Coordinates of all heavy atoms in Angstrom, one line a residue:
F1 N -35.7 -56.7 -41.4 CA -35.2 -55.7 -42.4 C -33.8 -56.0 -42.9 O -33.5 -56.3 -44.0 CB -35.3 -54.3 -41.9 CG -35.2 -53.3 -42.9 CD1 -36.2 -53.2 -43.9 CD2 -34.3 -52.3 -42.9 CE1 -36.1 -52.2 -44.9 CE2 -34.1 -51.3 -43.9 CZ -35.1 -51.3 -44.9
L2 N -32.8 -56.0 -42.0 CA -31.4 -56.3 -42.3 C -30.6 -56.6 -41.1 O -30.6 -55.8 -40.1 CB -30.8 -55.1 -43.0 CG -29.3 -55.3 -43.5 CD1 -29.2 -56.4 -44.5 CD2 -28.7 -54.0 -44.1
D3 N -30.0 -57.7 -41.1 CA -29.1 -58.2 -40.0 C -27.7 -57.8 -40.3 O -27.1 -58.2 -41.3 CB -29.3 -59.7 -39.9 CG -28.2 -60.3 -38.9 OD1 -27.7 -59.6 -38.0 OD2 -27.9 -61.5 -39.1
T4 N -27.1 -57.0 -39.3 CA -25.7 -56.6 -39.5 C -24.8 -57.3 -38.5 O -23.6 -57.0 -38.5 CB -25.5 -55.1 -39.3 OG1 -25.9 -54.7 -38.0 CG2 -26.4 -54.3 -40.3
T5 N -25.3 -58.1 -37.6 CA -24.5 -58.7 -36.6 C -24.3 -60.2 -36.7 O -23.6 -60.9 -36.0 CB -25.2 -58.5 -35.2 OG1 -26.4 -59.2 -35.1 CG2 -25.4 -57.0 -34.9
G6 N -25.0 -60.8 -37.7 CA -24.9 -62.3 -37.9 C -25.8 -63.1 -37.0 O -25.6 -64.3 -36.9
S7 N -26.7 -62.4 -36.3 CA -27.6 -63.1 -35.4 C -28.7 -63.8 -36.0 O -29.4 -64.7 -35.4 CB -28.2 -62.1 -34.3 OG -29.1 -61.2 -35.0
G8 N -29.0 -63.5 -37.3 CA -30.2 -64.1 -38.0 C -31.4 -63.2 -37.8 O -32.5 -63.5 -38.3
L9 N -31.2 -62.1 -37.0 CA -32.3 -61.2 -36.7 C -32.0 -59.8 -37.2 O -30.8 -59.4 -37.0 CB -32.6 -61.2 -35.2 CG -33.9 -60.7 -34.7 CD1 -35.0 -61.7 -35.0 CD2 -33.8 -60.6 -33.1
G10 N -32.9 -59.1 -37.8 CA -32.6 -57.7 -38.2 C -32.3 -56.8 -37.0 O -32.6 -57.2 -35.9
D11 N -31.7 -55.6 -37.2 CA -31.3 -54.8 -36.1 C -31.4 -53.3 -36.6 O -31.5 -53.0 -37.7 CB -29.9 -55.2 -35.6 CG -28.9 -55.3 -36.7 OD1 -28.6 -54.3 -37.4 OD2 -28.4 -56.4 -37.0
L12 N -31.2 -52.4 -35.6 CA -31.3 -51.0 -35.8 C -30.1 -50.5 -36.7 O -30.3 -49.6 -37.5 CB -31.3 -50.2 -34.5 CG -32.5 -50.4 -33.7 CD1 -32.3 -50.0 -32.2 CD2 -33.7 -49.6 -34.3
R13 N -28.9 -51.1 -36.6 CA -27.8 -50.6 -37.4 C -28.1 -50.9 -38.9 O -27.8 -50.2 -39.8 CB -26.5 -51.3 -37.0 CG -26.0 -51.1 -35.6 CD -26.1 -49.6 -35.1 NE -25.4 -48.7 -36.0 CZ -25.3 -47.4 -35.8 NH1 -25.9 -46.9 -34.7 NH2 -24.7 -46.6 -36.6
G14 N -28.8 -52.0 -39.1 CA -29.2 -52.4 -40.5 C -30.2 -51.3 -41.0 O -30.1 -50.9 -42.2
I15 N -31.1 -50.9 -40.2 CA -32.0 -49.8 -40.7 C -31.3 -48.5 -41.0 O -31.5 -47.9 -42.0 CB -33.1 -49.6 -39.6 CG1 -34.0 -50.9 -39.4 CG2 -34.0 -48.4 -40.0 CD1 -34.9 -50.8 -38.2
I16 N -30.4 -48.1 -40.1 CA -29.7 -46.9 -40.3 C -28.8 -47.0 -41.6 O -28.8 -46.0 -42.3 CB -28.7 -46.7 -39.1 CG1 -29.6 -46.4 -37.8 CG2 -27.7 -45.5 -39.3 CD1 -28.8 -46.4 -36.5
S17 N -28.3 -48.2 -41.8 CA -27.4 -48.3 -43.1 C -28.2 -48.1 -44.3 O -27.7 -47.8 -45.4 CB -26.7 -49.6 -43.0 OG -27.6 -50.7 -43.3
K18 N -29.5 -48.4 -44.3 CA -30.4 -48.3 -45.5 C -31.2 -47.0 -45.6 O -32.0 -46.9 -46.5 CB -31.3 -49.5 -45.5 CG -30.6 -50.9 -45.7 CD -30.0 -50.9 -47.0 CE -29.3 -52.3 -47.3 NZ -28.7 -52.4 -48.6
I19 N -30.9 -46.0 -44.7 CA -31.6 -44.8 -44.9 C -31.4 -44.1 -46.3 O -32.4 -43.6 -46.8 CB -31.2 -43.8 -43.7 CG1 -31.8 -44.3 -42.4 CG2 -31.7 -42.4 -44.0 CD1 -31.4 -43.5 -41.2
P20 N -30.2 -44.2 -46.9 CA -30.1 -43.6 -48.2 C -31.0 -44.3 -49.2 O -31.6 -43.6 -50.1 CB -28.6 -43.8 -48.6 CG -27.9 -43.8 -47.2 CD -28.9 -44.5 -46.3
Y21 N -31.1 -45.6 -49.1 CA -32.1 -46.4 -50.0 C -33.5 -46.0 -49.7 O -34.3 -45.7 -50.7 CB -31.9 -47.9 -49.8 CG -33.1 -48.7 -50.3 CD1 -33.2 -48.8 -51.7 CD2 -34.0 -49.2 -49.5 CE1 -34.3 -49.5 -52.2 CE2 -35.1 -49.9 -50.0 CZ -35.3 -50.1 -51.3 OH -36.4 -50.7 -51.8
I22 N -33.9 -45.9 -48.5 CA -35.3 -45.6 -48.1 C -35.6 -44.2 -48.6 O -36.7 -43.9 -49.2 CB -35.5 -45.7 -46.6 CG1 -35.3 -47.2 -46.2 CG2 -36.9 -45.3 -46.3 CD1 -35.2 -47.3 -44.7
K23 N -34.7 -43.2 -48.4 CA -34.9 -41.9 -48.8 C -35.0 -41.8 -50.4 O -35.8 -41.0 -50.9 CB -33.7 -41.0 -48.4 CG -33.9 -39.5 -48.8 CD -32.8 -38.7 -48.2 CE -32.9 -37.2 -48.6 NZ -34.1 -36.5 -48.1
S24 N -34.3 -42.7 -51.1 CA -34.3 -42.6 -52.5 C -35.7 -43.0 -53.1 O -36.1 -42.6 -54.2 CB -33.3 -43.6 -53.1 OG -33.7 -45.0 -53.0
L25 N -36.5 -43.7 -52.3 CA -37.9 -44.0 -52.7 C -38.8 -42.8 -52.7 O -39.8 -42.8 -53.4 CB -38.5 -45.1 -51.8 CG -37.8 -46.4 -51.7 CD1 -38.4 -47.3 -50.6 CD2 -37.8 -47.1 -53.0
G26 N -38.4 -41.8 -51.9 CA -39.3 -40.6 -51.8 C -40.2 -40.6 -50.6 O -40.9 -39.6 -50.4
V27 N -40.0 -41.6 -49.7 CA -40.9 -41.6 -48.5 C -40.4 -40.5 -47.5 O -39.2 -40.1 -47.6 CB -40.9 -43.0 -47.9 CG1 -41.5 -44.0 -48.9 CG2 -39.6 -43.4 -47.3
D28 N -41.2 -40.2 -46.6 CA -41.0 -39.1 -45.7 C -40.8 -39.5 -44.2 O -40.3 -38.7 -43.4 CB -42.1 -38.1 -45.7 CG -42.4 -37.6 -47.1 OD1 -41.6 -36.8 -47.6 OD2 -43.3 -38.1 -47.8
A29 N -41.2 -40.7 -43.8 CA -41.1 -41.1 -42.5 C -41.0 -42.6 -42.4 O -41.5 -43.3 -43.3 CB -42.2 -40.6 -41.6
L30 N -40.4 -43.1 -41.3 CA -40.4 -44.6 -41.0 C -41.3 -44.9 -39.8 O -41.4 -44.0 -38.9 CB -39.0 -45.1 -40.6 CG -37.9 -44.8 -41.6 CD1 -36.6 -45.6 -41.1 CD2 -38.2 -45.3 -43.0
W31 N -42.0 -46.0 -39.9 CA -42.7 -46.5 -38.7 C -42.1 -47.9 -38.4 O -42.1 -48.8 -39.3 CB -44.2 -46.6 -39.0 CG -45.0 -47.7 -38.2 CD1 -44.7 -48.1 -37.0 CD2 -46.1 -48.4 -38.7 NE1 -45.6 -49.1 -36.6 CE2 -46.4 -49.3 -37.6 CE3 -46.9 -48.5 -39.8 CZ2 -47.5 -50.2 -37.7 CZ3 -47.9 -49.3 -39.9 CH2 -48.3 -50.2 -38.8
L32 N -41.6 -48.0 -37.2 CA -41.0 -49.3 -36.8 C -41.9 -50.0 -35.9 O -42.5 -49.5 -34.9 CB -39.7 -49.0 -35.9 CG -38.5 -48.2 -36.5 CD1 -37.3 -48.3 -35.6 CD2 -38.2 -48.7 -37.9

């Protein structure tokens, strides 16, 4: 999804940072 640490692997902080974007789509829940 999104790497915020430079590891080359996505992480939870990346998901948290994109909650405004995800909410803007109109969805109601995330499944990880």
Side-chain angles (χ1 to χ4, degrees):
F1 196 64
L2 182 63
D3 170 22
T4 63
T5 65
S7 67
L9 199 70
D11 50 63
L12 289 165
R13 302 311 307 178
I15 296 169
I16 293 168
S17 74
K18 291 297 184 180
I19 289 177
Y21 162 72
I22 298 166
K23 183 176 176 64
S24 76
L25 299 174
V27 302
D28 304 282
L30 303 187
W31 155 31
L32 301 189

